[in-house]
Amino acid sequence: MTGAMREKTKLAGVIGWPISHSLSPALHNFWLKQHGIDGVYLPVAIKPEEFSRAVAALGEAGFAGVNVTVPHKEAAFAISDLRDERAEAAGAVNLLLFRNGRIEGRNTDADGLAASLKQSLGADFLRGALGVVLGAGGAARAAVLSLDSLGAREIRIVNRTPQKAAALASALQAKVRAKLFAQGLGDWNQAANGARLLVNATSAGMKNSPPLELSLDALPLDAAVCDIVYNPLETDLLKRARARAHRTVDGLGMLMHQAVPAFEGFYGVTPRVTAELRAALEKALA
Ligand code: ATR
């Protein structure tokens, strides 16, 4: 893999604006090295107004595909010639594959979160139970689809702006088996009652953002708490959850699992999520 790129070198990357803090290059490069693949994975900064032109250029330059992050996931959805079921349900695309002259849009976020929760909590942890999702943006949408795929009976969407929670619940109800309810943060105590899992899908708690202001007192002690934020790895929410002896799941799990189908699509090899990968990413974060 040292030396110049060759014609057969497989190209892929991640596009976003900004992109310098993305962990995806560290993640994919770990797997490239592990599998001895002649490939590169690059972070590519693309301004929103240049999105379509830049994506077309990457396809023409021979990229196998790209991961898509903030703020391009909806634009990636719109530009896709065909989309998988997950992308259709999410209304957003986090993976573009350039195949046979067409742009294939996929969304691996919901399955990535489900795989992470399964690995940490067991496959049946949420079956027939009640899940609570905090937030009503794109991440919350993926979280609702994810909890539904894990067999949740009921999912309560709790958001600072209750109208957005209501809009998300009505947009998703026809696509899921779980019964969806929308609530404001003011109804948190009621929403937490009987919950088996709480997922923070807001951006609160991220580095340089204020922490989530939410007391965990109302949460049953056997509930697990998951944060999709991974920088910092242990958010204030997870720290407080751990202090109350809740089982916790950090955001790195979702990041690693959502990348598996992407790597497979780019390089043709199915990689594994291992403790070594996690250690490498924790090092990259620190
Ligand atoms: P994404 O697509 O990544 O989910 P988004 O669409 O900007 O991002 O959504 C961010 C979510 O985090 C929203 O649900 C937002 O709540 P509002 O709809 O009320 O804006 C939520 N959020 C951000 N900061 C928050 C904070 N400090 N406390 C509570 N919720 C917060």
Side-chain angles (χ1 to χ4, degrees):
M1 243 63 51
T2 52
M5 275 174 20
R6 291 177 290 271
E7 208 167 316
K8 68 180 170 65
T9 302
K10 290 182 177 140
L11 303 174
V14 55
I15 59 176
W17 184 263
I19 199 64
S20 55
H21 296 298
S22 173
L23 263 193
S24 291
L27 204 174
H28 286 270
N29 283 312
F30 177 93
W31 281 332
L32 283 171
K33 199 167 159 204
Q34 185 181 47
H35 292 280
I37 293 170
D38 182 8
V40 292
Y41 185 97
L42 301 166
V44 186
I46 292 177
K47 287 184 187 153
E49 60 270 27
E50 285 164 8
F51 180 80
S52 310
R53 208 157 49 84
V55 168
L58 290 170
E60 282 160 21
F63 273 60
V66 283
N67 282 117
V68 181
T69 185
V70 180
H72 299 314
K73 290 185 183 185
E74 283 80 21
F77 177 89
I79 209 178
S80 299
D81 298 315
L82 55 162
R83 305 177 195 108
D84 71 358
E85 194 190 329
R86 281 303 193 203
E88 291 293 351
V93 154
N94 75 334
L95 171 61
L96 291 172
L97 294 172
F98 306 129
R99 283 182 174 160
N100 312 316
R102 287 194 299 190
I103 302 179
E104 212 176 295
R106 298 175 56 182
N107 193 309
T108 68
D109 282 335
D111 290 347
L113 177 58
S116 168
L117 290 168
K118 265 190 205 170
Q119 191 173 47
S120 298
L121 304 171
D124 293 323
F125 184 78
L126 198 59
R127 200 164 300 285
L130 168 66
V132 179
V133 171
L134 297 173
R141 189 176 264 262
V144 171
L145 295 171
S146 175
L147 268 46
D148 181 62
S149 78
L150 293 174
R153 165 175 52 87
E154 182 179 323
I155 301 169
R156 296 177 182 161
I157 304 169
V158 180
N159 196 45
R160 182 174 59 185
T161 312
Q163 296 88 328
K164 283 205 223 163
L168 185 59
S170 59
L172 286 184
Q173 185 61 80
K175 302 180 199 278
V176 299
R177 270 172 302 174
K179 187 87 192 84
L180 304 183
F181 292 94
Q183 283 165 308
L185 269 181
D187 302 319
W188 160 244
N189 284 356
Q190 191 197 333
N193 187 21
R196 185 99 172 96
L197 174 68
L198 169 67
V199 178
N200 174 40
T202 74
S203 44
M206 250 159 74
K207 203 174 163 186
N208 304 326
S209 301
L212 190 66
E213 280 179 41
L214 192 75
S215 161
L216 293 179
D217 292 348
L219 200 63
L221 282 171
D222 64 353
V225 179
C226 170
D227 207 323
I228 64 159
V229 169
Y230 62 77
N231 192 11
L233 198 52
E234 185 169 63
T235 58
D236 170 71
L237 176 72
L238 290 185
K239 194 175 289 175
R240 290 190 288 115
R242 199 162 51 88
R244 279 170 48 97
H246 290 285
R247 295 172 77 181
T248 59
V249 182
D250 66 40
L252 212 45
M254 176 181 177
L255 182 81
M256 295 187 290
H257 284 283
Q258 64 78 32
V260 169
F263 190 88
E264 201 174 64
F266 302 147
Y267 307 111
V269 173
T270 308
R272 284 186 314 128
V273 172
T274 59
E276 291 72 31
L277 173 65
R278 170 175 276 275
L281 294 180
E282 285 183 5
K283 210 168 136 196
L285 266 178

